[in-house]
Amino acid sequence: MTDTIIVGAGLSGLSAAIRLAQAGAKVTLFTFGLGGIQLGQGTIDVLGYSLAGSRPTPADTAITDPFAAMSQHLTGHPGHPYATVPLASIRDSVDWLAALVPDLLTPGDGVNHMVPTALGGLRPTYLIQPSMTWSNPSSIAVVSPRQIKDFYPRLAAANLTKTAHVDAHGYHIDLPARPGEVDSSPVAYATALDRSDFARRFVELVANAIADEEVIGLPAILGLHPDTAESIARALGRPVVEFLLPPPSVPGMRLNVALTQRAKDLGVRVVIGSKVTGFTSAGAKVTGVVVAQAGRDQTYPCDHVVYAPGGFESGALTMDSYGGVRETLFDLPVVGATAEDLITGDYWADQRLFACGVAVDSAMTPLDVLGQPIYTNLHAVGGLLAGAVRWTEKSGDGIAITSAVRAADAIVSPGVTPTTNERTR
Amino acid sequence: MFESTSHEHNLLARASLDQCVKCTICETQCPVMAVTPAFSGPKFVGPQAERYRHGESVDHSLDYCSSCGTCTLVCPQGVKIAELNSVARAAMKKDHMPLRDQLISRTIMMGAVMRPVAPIANAVLANGAARWMIEKVVGVHRKAAMPTAHTRTFASWWKKHTPAQSATAGKVVFFHGCAGQYFEVETSIKAVEVLEHLGYEVVVPPQGCCGLPLQSNGIFDTARGYVKTLAERLNIADDVPIITAAGSCAGMLKHEAHEIMGVDDPAVLRVGGRTREISEFLLDLADRGKLPLDFSPINLEVVYHVPCQVKGQGMGKPALELLRLIPGLTVVDSDATCCGIAGTYGLKKEKYDVGQAVGKPLFDKVRDVNPKLAVCDTETCRWQIAAATGAKVVHPVWLLHQAYGLS
């Protein structure tokens, strides 16, 4: 008999699993495929923009202090997931996560970092990996192997000159990740750079390619091993900053591996490859989940469920051809789905479809249309929650971690969950 | 479903193709792509190339896919990547199936031929000159792991066997598999003895090969016949669980016959739904508080490696959880993707080096943690790990057998 079943292995599922296991709970985590952390960038966003209008925003509108800006942001965004929790718990939760992987994430100091993107923009985020430190240099050499997919150092440098007012130059080196490859993936490079012979060759070519710029910008391929980036920087003798690439994200893989390992070390049973397709219940309690395993359906009994499946991207939320939005496992009511213009033709406009989701109370218990808990031992966390368009705010990671911590704490210590500071549902 | 290798009829896997969002998670986890540029990766030869296949193959690097199934396992969108690729490879090889692939996929024939002359067979397979000849003529790499033949079969033991105690817990069917009949006889015996120790009445109907080696080599027609015949023999009653210590054969019965070869035979589906790998069966008992935990301590540290085809059944790592119930035993999860053998892949002379590179992190861990003993659920993976590391590699049931005081 397992105490708690987690559905999902993204940031919220793993956070909940770790938090519960730390408190001594028996945890089984089911995930259909690998979790989504490596599709992110290995950073932790809390709140990057508080968009008043609906246009893309230049770097100078980025939020510096996300915790100070939170209160005002929530006033303008009723029903936001952050509004269901005490504001102090957001920073506590994110700090707790950072401390789980001290070799990988720099501790938060209350303010956002700016990190360079593949296109040479700067975007705000709260926790970074040490290799992503942007020190506002006066000059930067952006260098990349010609053979890598999806990174163009001259484009990035030219844009950085405009976005960050830095003297930026782009350079190519010729170094396939493996002999004969003309379009190596970031992962192939990261694996190669984890080997000291390849890393030496890489350092040599980079050093020869550049002038006397203050800082060296490299694509985020500096090893799957957390120490590789630092040893490359040491060998180059200048500060190095990783530019975040489209997936597959090497820094995201570092974070996924570190957190998954942490969960396993704490005794979490991780079951990958089977979809949770149903559940059993008695009254207002979920008594088990049904898992579609090879050859048959298997029911796993449980005392609690943390439901961390993600939103539309994972299929946990779907929209049918009539525009009806549904949650697919527990058939929980979806908030915000009846609004007009859920998607508009203007790409930059506020796409409200992606704020659709499940409404919860302060223990992350899903609520029905009358605001009453549906199943008292079911907790919904992460991307499934209603009320935020995460990518425009840069808030998804903080929501995932904070909601997971709240759910785990409510399971471990029922009844002591503080009331919400702002009941908006 | 159509039982055909033509792409048009590969409905189940093809239906999942449009779910691919090109997230590349499969490429980041593919153990073959990580060690050789000869394979252009599961996404590329799978959901991408499949769109261009109309009975003809468009990317022959597909042959380097080991069919470990990691891509399907890690896909968050439910794309049947490995299944698509298995069918495409079968179609690609259909008219020119190498003799080598015909031979190595017939486990019963190998066992039956080697058993009466076991000492000679073992000596030949240990002889460098003979292995050089075999590599040149047949294409099996000279260093590849080969099974050890025994003069005794499981059936000959079973014929003379009487249970030590009377049954109190009901009936189970034991499915030994071909390796469990000829090469891994000791594992089959220990599995039966553990089940009988727990009070089960073990029934062993006559049985043959599940067809998995044929399936993984793309010889579907013969494999379909094998799996149907096997299912009819194992299907003695609707409520009797079928227990096996052959983890990959369990996967064939549970889902691969249906998902890769399109077998819709009712006996196969019924048998698949009742098949349990022995660790899966025992852990389920333990989870429900019904497994006696009166284990004697085993003071050891060992690496446990879960085979791809056990992982692919989507039940986690039951043996890992089960072995951790034995006092004194420290079980280190290999955390390795694949051992590199992938059934018969790592035997082939052109793929041997790839297989060894795939297995290297696992081999290193075994040498590091306990170079004398390691644990793994399936036969060919055990042979691969043993050949690479020199360790004795046993099925988890060996340790349970010992912990219950049966050995």
Side-chain angles (χ1 to χ4, degrees):
Chain A
M1 178 72 175
T2 182
D3 289 341
T4 302
I5 283 174
I6 314 259
V7 182
L11 190 56
S12 59
L14 280 177
S15 298
I18 292 169
R19 183 88 172 181
L20 281 158
Q22 280 180 332
K26 273 182 67 183
V27 181
T28 301
L29 183 153
F30 291 100
T31 175
F32 187 60
L34 212 66
I37 293 178
Q38 70 172 52
L39 301 178
Q41 297 188 313
T43 55
I44 300 294
D45 297 340
V46 172
L47 186 66
Y49 296 105
S50 187
L51 298 174
S54 57
R55 294 290 114 184
T57 43
D60 56 11
T61 65
I63 288 170
T64 309
D65 182 337
F67 306 104
M70 194 65 76
S71 208
Q72 198 191 340
H73 180 72
L74 296 183
T75 310
H77 294 79
H80 197 284
Y82 281 141
T84 60
V85 301
L87 291 188
S89 73
I90 301 170
R91 186 164 178 186
D92 290 348
S93 302
V94 174
D95 284 348
W96 165 81
L97 184 102
L100 291 177
V101 286
D103 297 340
L104 200 61
L105 293 176
T106 55
D109 56 4
V111 293
N112 277 334
H113 294 265
M114 298 304 281
V115 286
T117 71
L119 284 177
L122 289 174
R123 78 160 178 89
T125 188
Y126 185 60
L127 297 178
I128 60 168
Q129 300 182 17
S131 53
M132 302 167 184
T133 307
W134 179 254
S135 53
N136 288 314
S138 59
S139 63
I140 182 167
V142 185
V143 196
S144 175
R146 196 179 295 282
Q147 290 80 6
I148 197 170
K149 286 178 183 173
D150 302 331
F151 187 65
Y152 307 94
R154 287 179 189 142
L155 173 69
N159 280 339
L160 260 184
T161 308
K162 294 180 222 161
T163 56
H165 314 295
V166 55
D167 183 20
H169 306 270
Y171 305 95
H172 273 125
I173 59 171
D174 261 307
L175 183 64
R178 297 186 287 204
E181 266 187 336
V182 294
D183 58 349
S184 303
S185 81
V187 181
Y189 275 108
T191 311
L193 286 167
D194 281 333
R195 296 196 324 263
S196 57
D197 55 334
F198 189 88
R200 258 197 307 279
R201 181 95 190 101
F202 177 81
V203 165
E204 212 175 275
L205 291 173
V206 170
N208 287 338
I210 59 179
D212 58 353
E213 293 90 348
E214 185 187 325
V215 168
I216 302 170
L218 299 168
I221 56 173
L222 303 183
L224 289 168
H225 195 281
D227 296 341
T228 300
E230 198 194 326
S231 67
I232 287 172
R234 220 179 306 120
L236 282 166
R238 277 183 244 182
V240 162
V241 56
E242 280 191 300
F243 280 51
L244 305 180
L245 305 181
S249 156
V250 169
M253 288 175 74
R254 291 178 203 138
L255 184 59
N256 191 38
V257 167
L259 287 176
T260 305
Q261 193 56 50
R262 197 65 213 257
K264 286 182 186 169
D265 289 346
L266 286 163
V268 174
R269 256 190 217 180
V270 178
V271 179
I272 184 170
S274 287
K275 196 164 196 163
V276 178
T277 52
F279 65 104
T280 55
S281 63
K285 286 209 181 267
V286 176
T287 53
V289 299
V290 181
V291 182
Q293 284 181 347
R296 67 176 186 283
D297 289 346
Q298 179 86 1
T299 302
Y300 288 81
C302 61
D303 298 327
H304 310 275
V305 175
V306 177
Y307 187 41
F312 287 103
E313 70 284 4
S314 63
L317 294 177
T318 58
M319 179 187 263
D320 63 27
S321 55
Y322 300 99
V325 178
R326 286 190 56 234
E327 184 282 309
T328 52
L329 180 55
F330 295 97
D331 203 17
L332 301 171
V334 176
V335 169
T338 51
E340 294 289 308
D341 296 332
L342 282 175
I343 300 184
T344 81
D346 179 0
Y347 178 84
W348 298 107
D350 201 15
Q351 307 286 358
R352 293 313 294 169
L353 177 67
F354 300 101
C356 291
V358 171
V360 290
D361 67 11
S362 63
M364 301 298 131
T365 311
L367 302 176
D368 65 17
V369 287
L370 301 173
Q372 295 301 311
I374 302 166
Y375 300 105
T376 52
N377 62 341
L378 172 66
H379 305 267
V381 297
L384 188 70
L385 300 184
V389 181
R390 289 147 174 88
W391 77 75
T392 55
E393 300 180 346
K394 308 289 177 212
S395 61
D397 305 317
I399 292 171
I401 298 163
T402 307
S403 58
V405 166
R406 302 295 300 165
D409 291 357
I411 289 169
V412 173
S413 316
V416 303
T417 313
T419 52
T420 124
N421 57 329
E422 199 176 339
R423 269 298 284 274
T424 48
R425 309 282 149 78
Chain B
M1 177 159 312
F2 299 92
E3 292 188 356
S4 162
T5 43
S6 74
H7 299 298
E8 292 80 2
H9 294 167
N10 180 16
L11 298 175
L12 194 66
R14 281 190 75 111
S16 71
L17 178 136
D18 283 344
Q19 287 161 242
C20 177
V21 297
K22 318 293 173 201
C23 73
T24 69
I25 278 180
C26 58
E27 294 195 342
T28 69
Q29 307 298 312
C30 171
V32 175
M33 198 184 178
V35 300
T36 175
F39 179 49
S40 49
K43 177 181 69 130
F44 192 81
V45 303
Q48 275 168 216
E50 184 68 24
R51 294 180 193 282
Y52 299 96
R53 290 188 187 120
H54 293 284
E56 270 180 50
S57 295
V58 294
D59 181 356
H60 292 262
S61 86
L62 170 62
D63 190 44
Y64 271 86
C65 164
S66 74
S67 294
C68 69
T70 303
C71 44
T72 295
L73 187 74
V74 299
C75 177
Q77 303 294 341
V79 183
K80 297 281 181 190
I81 311 165
E83 291 77 358
L84 280 171
N85 290 341
S86 290
V87 177
R89 189 179 41 239
M92 185 171 87
K93 287 169 71 180
K94 202 169 171 58
D95 301 327
H96 46 276
M97 186 64 66
L99 172 68
R100 187 255 330 263
D101 297 4
Q102 296 270 9
L103 287 175
I104 58 177
S105 53
R106 284 173 169 80
T107 324
I108 289 183
M109 186 191 75
M110 281 171 67
V113 168
M114 285 164 75
R115 186 195 59 81
V117 293
I120 302 168
N122 292 336
V124 168
L125 291 178
N127 179 292
R131 290 298 299 271
W132 182 84
M133 279 293 291
I134 293 172
E135 178 176 313
K136 291 291 162 211
V137 178
V138 186
V140 172
H141 194 279
R142 69 191 81 170
K143 288 190 199 154
M146 281 289 139
T148 307
H150 300 272
T151 47
R152 176 175 71 161
T153 62
F154 171 73
S156 66
W157 174 84
W158 175 251
K159 209 181 291 174
K160 293 179 200 143
H161 163 75
T162 42
Q165 61 183 69
S166 57
T168 52
K171 206 181 262 190
V172 295
V173 166
F174 182 67
F175 164 41
H176 50 65
C178 325
Q181 169 77 306
Y182 292 107
F183 302 118
E184 292 280 330
V185 180
E186 199 64 28
T187 299
S188 300
I189 294 172
K190 286 179 195 294
V192 168
E193 287 179 346
V194 165
L195 289 167
E196 287 179 346
H197 174 76
L198 296 172
Y200 289 99
E201 180 196 339
V202 179
V203 182
V204 185
Q207 50 193 269
C209 177
C210 68
L212 174 60
L214 290 157
Q215 181 266 99
S216 73
N217 278 288
I219 308 167
F220 283 6
D221 289 342
T222 319
R224 287 185 189 113
Y226 277 24
V227 75
K228 285 183 204 171
T229 307
L230 173 66
E232 279 156 23
R233 290 181 178 176
L234 296 177
N235 195 22
I236 61 161
D238 265 348
D239 54 347
V240 180
I242 298 155
I243 313 299
T244 183
S248 47
C249 310
M252 179 70 168
L253 285 171
K254 282 182 181 181
H255 64 153
E256 292 187 3
H258 175 65
E259 291 180 357
I260 297 178
M261 302 194 300
V263 175
D264 270 342
D265 182 75
V268 173
L269 298 180
R270 271 208 294 277
V271 162
R274 290 208 309 283
T275 300
R276 304 281 186 281
E277 209 287 328
I278 188 163
S279 301
E280 175 194 9
F281 181 69
L282 298 181
L283 182 66
D284 187 45
L285 289 180
D287 281 348
R288 290 187 284 120
K290 291 184 177 168
L291 185 75
L293 299 176
D294 54 340
F295 296 122
S296 309
I298 300 177
N299 294 311
L300 265 184
E301 187 175 16
V302 287
V303 165
Y304 165 74
H305 175 67
V306 62
C308 303
Q309 269 159 327
V310 171
K311 253 187 292 190
Q313 293 165 42
M315 56 189 188
K317 301 173 183 175
L320 182 72
E321 310 297 338
L322 193 62
L323 291 175
R324 284 182 171 161
L325 300 174
I326 299 176
L329 187 65
T330 305
V331 192
V332 179
D333 187 348
S334 78
D335 277 322
T337 310
C338 175
C339 73
I341 191 72
T344 55
Y345 179 90
L347 303 176
K348 299 173 181 176
K349 67 175 179 192
E350 72 280 11
K351 314 227 168 74
Y352 175 82
D353 289 339
V354 176
Q356 293 297 307
V358 165
K360 189 172 181 298
L362 167 62
F363 307 151
D364 288 347
K365 197 153 192 175
V366 168
R367 288 190 198 100
D368 190 39
V369 171
N370 185 343
K372 291 192 180 139
L373 185 72
V375 186
C376 177
D377 317 71
T378 59
E379 304 85 14
T380 57
C381 308
R382 287 198 291 274
W383 303 338
Q384 166 91 339
I385 301 165
T389 62
K392 184 178 176 68
V393 189
V394 299
H395 187 282
V397 82
W398 286 52
L399 295 173
L400 291 166
H401 193 265
Q402 184 183 335
Y404 275 132
L406 302 171
S407 53

